[in-house]
């Protein structure tokens, strides 16, 4: 009995050491090695920080950016929406490496490379594996599916977005836009929350053209989708550990 206990203790100790070694390899050795190798190839970026990578920096930049008000009619919104990408492309070039936790993220903004990646003729660039709220929001649609499933869905969507199909939607789009503009006449001299108005307009057009319904009939569904979108945006830069939600 005593020998069995000693053996089990030793076994658990070895398993713990192996798990710790695997964890340290993932969050220490691999990120620093990858960062070193890419730097030798000319790909630079913000330094990897233990466990959180660059998530704290990204969150701080976004928080600071969103706290500022855009002055007047200002169309250059890129630095406000993606302040970290704007800052780091200026510092490190059009292509750089940053870290989502211990996960490397190669950011590519060079047009020629973006075209090559999107065409993906050789299949070298797999799509991101969605998890959590993002998976619930986007499901297995065109943006995340691959292979035969993607081919079937692409064929179906080609018909929907064919020029003739889109032309048949124009009257519904015009009607919905006219209703919105007519409502705006009641707010003459007042500020209008344009984001909310265009969100409702988009939902109304989708309801009419895709489901033969209206925004009011599907309001609860659109509100739930909006809530889920907010959850995704709030949690996208948060670190998660296994078994901890």
């Amino acid at each position: 009995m005593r020998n069995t206990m000693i053996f089990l203790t030793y076994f658990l100790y070895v398993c713990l050491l192996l798990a710790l070694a695997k964890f340290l390899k993932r969050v220490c050795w691999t990120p620093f090695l990858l960062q070193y190798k890419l730097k030798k190839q000319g790909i630079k970026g913000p330094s990897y920080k233990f466990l959180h990578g660059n998530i704290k920096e990204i969150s701080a930049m976004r928080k600071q950016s969103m706290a500022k008000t855009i002055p007047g009619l200002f169309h250059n919104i890129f630095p406000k929406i993606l302040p970290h990408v704007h800052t780091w492309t200026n510092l490190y070039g059009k292509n750089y490496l940053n870290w989502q936790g211990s996960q490397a993220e190669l950011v590519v903004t060079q047009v020629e490379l973006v075209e090559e990646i999107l065409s993906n003729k050789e299949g070298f660039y797999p799509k991101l594996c969605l998890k959590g709220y993002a998976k619930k929001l986007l499901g297995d649609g065109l943006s995340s599916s691959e292979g035969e499933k993607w081919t079937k869905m692409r064929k179906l969507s080609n018909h929907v977005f064919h020029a003739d199909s889109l032309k048949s939607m124009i009257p519904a789009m015009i009607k919905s836009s006219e209703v919105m503009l007519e409502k705006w006449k009641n707010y003459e001299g007042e500020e209008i929350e344009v984001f909310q108005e265009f969100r409702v307009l988009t939902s109304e057009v989708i309801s009419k053209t895709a489901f033969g319904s209206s925004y009011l009939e599907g309001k609860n569904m659109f509100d739930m989708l909006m809530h889920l979108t907010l959850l995704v945006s709030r949690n996208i830069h948060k670190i998660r550990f296994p078994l901890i939600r």
Side-chain angles (χ1 to χ4, degrees), residues 4 15-16 37 54 72 105 120 168 227 231:
T4 304
C15 288
L16 183 62
K37 287 185 175 181
N54 303 124
E105 184 176 83
N120 197 21
S168 66
H227 181 62
L231 286 174

Side-chain angles (χ1 to χ4, degrees), residues 173-225:
M173 295 178 184
I174 294 174
K175 179 65 177 176
S176 297
S177 299
E178 287 176 342
V179 171
M180 181 187 71
L181 293 174
E182 189 65 30
K183 188 176 71 172
W184 283 10
K185 292 180 180 179
N186 298 324
Y187 297 100
E188 187 173 351
E190 300 178 20
E191 286 189 358
I192 298 175
E193 180 54 67
V194 178
F195 171 78
Q196 174 65 13
E197 292 292 319
F198 274 89
R199 186 179 74 83
V200 173
L201 173 64
T202 304
S203 302
E204 179 72 17
V205 171
I206 291 172
S207 298
K208 286 182 177 180
T209 57
F211 306 108
S213 180
S214 68
Y215 167 72
L216 290 176
E217 289 181 37
K219 185 177 184 299
N220 289 338
M221 180 63 70
F222 284 113
D223 288 344
M224 285 189 286
L225 284 172

